[in-house]
Amino acid sequence: MIPPDQLTDPTVRAFVNAVNAGDRSAFQAVLTPDATMSDDGSDRDIAQWADKEIFSSGGHMDVEKESDGGLALIVDYRNDTWGEMRTAWRFVTDGGRVSRFETGQA
């Protein structure tokens, strides 16, 4: 596993740290105001998705590997709803913030 503080891209590092800390404010701060996301290929409302998949269910990311300069991750993701699953994450950043992320089973 790669410790979050050793992730290559600082914006992705901030995203992972916010998720793992369960910190809504830090999570929202790392996103652009018009950020978008998809889960398993379907676009979702970020606020609703994050509440369900991260904040109300103890979401946590253990990063297995990174590629594309740190903008693509393979993660062992776990939460109280689904348990643990291997997931892929891809990030688009803009000015130090995430403008889009896509996640799904790896």
Side-chain angles (χ1 to χ4, degrees):
M1 296 297 155
I2 302 171
D5 65 342
Q6 293 181 16
L7 293 171
T8 302
D9 186 275
T11 304
V12 172
R13 184 182 323 128
F15 182 97
V16 172
N17 282 328
V19 169
N20 289 352
D23 187 335
R24 277 183 206 268
S25 295
F27 181 81
Q28 291 170 341
V30 79
L31 301 175
T32 62
D34 59 348
T36 61
M37 61 93 47
S38 72
D39 184 0
D40 283 328
S42 297
D43 279 4
R44 309 279 186 198
D45 176 272
I46 291 178
Q48 291 176 353
W49 182 90
D51 183 61
K52 180 181 176 190
E53 301 295 338
I54 299 170
F55 301 112
S56 67
S57 62
H60 189 87
M61 301 172 80
D62 286 325
V63 180
E64 183 180 311
K65 68 180 185 174
E66 63 177 353
S67 59
D68 193 22
L71 295 175
L73 305 177
I74 298 295
V75 171
D76 288 331
Y77 187 78
R78 68 179 179 275
N79 66 25
D80 298 338
T81 303
W82 306 109
E84 188 169 311
M85 65 192 90
R86 190 167 191 252
T87 56
W89 297 71
R90 177 163 275 300
F91 297 88
V92 177
T93 61
D94 180 16
R97 297 170 86 184
V98 173
S99 60
R100 180 167 178 84
F101 67 92
E102 299 172 351
T103 186
Q105 292 198 23

